[in-house]
Amino acid sequence: MVLVSLITWAARKSLHKQDYSFDEQLEEASAKGGGLLELTRPQQYLVLGFKDRNLEARFLDGLARVSQPRILLGYIMALLMVFVGRFINDTIDYVITIRFTDEDPDALSYFLPNVMSILVFSLGLAATLVIMKRESFQQKRVVLAIVEASFFLYTVTVSVDVCLNISEWNSYEDNKPLYWWLFMTFY
């Protein structure tokens, strides 16, 4: 989604192929006597939205306004899942490793991905709240880009964490190769 958003943002002028007006469509339909059944739909790209980029912008603004409760709920659930799921689990693993083994684990490697994830979602939530509450900020579709960027950065953070810990995960169960998929299922 991030790639599609970047393409549509960068190529906005070249993607604008139609100027669609609902008023003109209604006038033409009433002149023909067909009513609402004669309305033509605005043309769309397969993945990139409407060919009328102004209509697309208005649609995304309305979508961001209507989706505000769901976006906020998504951020709150993501923060809860990171905190309850990963942060508490890693804290317990860290304490068990210190108390019951002779290893001296690096606290930074245990907690940095979780702190980064919490920070990403917290900043995304704060930016979303600021944009949604400010009446002077008319382009609410920016919120959708912030949500995409937040979840993309979370995915990058978790991917880096997995890459750094993959050798540890492959050492379980008598060094069976690719045993890490079981851990990723519940990560």
Side-chain angles (χ1 to χ4, degrees):
M1 276 310 289
V2 175
L3 182 61
V4 171
S5 296
L6 287 174
I7 290 171
T8 57
W9 176 76
R12 179 169 162 66
K13 291 189 185 218
S14 63
L15 290 173
H16 185 78
K17 302 288 184 197
Q18 178 187 25
D19 288 320
Y20 186 84
S21 172
F22 285 106
D23 294 334
E24 290 175 10
Q25 294 295 323
L26 281 173
E27 287 175 12
E28 288 178 19
S30 63
K32 292 179 183 176
L36 294 177
L37 295 176
E38 296 293 324
L39 287 176
T40 59
R41 299 177 62 188
Q43 296 177 355
Q44 294 184 6
Y45 292 106
L46 182 62
V47 177
L48 303 177
F50 294 112
K51 290 187 177 182
D52 182 0
R53 301 317 293 170
N54 298 327
L55 179 63
E56 179 77 14
R58 288 193 307 268
F59 171 75
L60 290 177
D61 283 338
L63 180 66
R65 282 186 176 90
V66 170
S67 300
Q68 181 181 359
R70 287 180 286 280
I71 290 171
L72 296 178
L73 180 64
Y75 273 126
I76 291 169
M77 290 303 296
L79 281 167
L80 280 174
M81 289 177 72
V82 168
F83 184 75
V84 172
R86 293 188 63 207
F87 190 72
I88 292 177
N89 182 40
D90 286 348
T91 303
I92 291 169
D93 286 348
Y94 182 73
V95 170
I96 288 173
T97 304
I98 288 176
R99 288 196 157 230
F100 299 112
T101 65
D102 295 331
E103 294 179 36
D104 186 24
D106 183 23
L108 189 66
S109 66
Y110 268 91
F111 298 113
L112 184 63
N114 298 322
V115 171
M116 291 294 294
S117 300
I118 290 171
L119 184 67
V120 162
F121 285 131
S122 298
L123 290 175
L125 177 62
T128 299
L129 286 173
V130 166
I131 290 172
M132 287 304 214
K133 297 301 176 190
R134 292 190 68 179
E135 295 297 326
S136 62
F137 201 88
Q138 295 298 319
Q139 295 181 350
K140 303 296 185 186
R141 64 183 172 268
V142 174
V143 168
L144 300 175
I146 292 171
V147 170
E148 287 179 16
S150 297
F151 280 90
F152 179 72
L153 288 174
Y154 172 73
T155 304
V156 168
T157 303
V158 171
S159 300
V160 168
D161 186 30
V162 168
C163 288
L164 294 176
N165 293 318
I166 194 123
S167 62
E168 176 184 328
W169 291 351
N170 277 336
S171 66
Y172 290 107
E173 290 293 319
D174 301 322
N175 293 324
K176 289 182 181 174
L178 300 178
Y179 193 69
W180 60 270
W181 66 269
L182 182 61
F183 290 95
M184 281 304 296
T185 305
F186 303 105
Y187 200 61

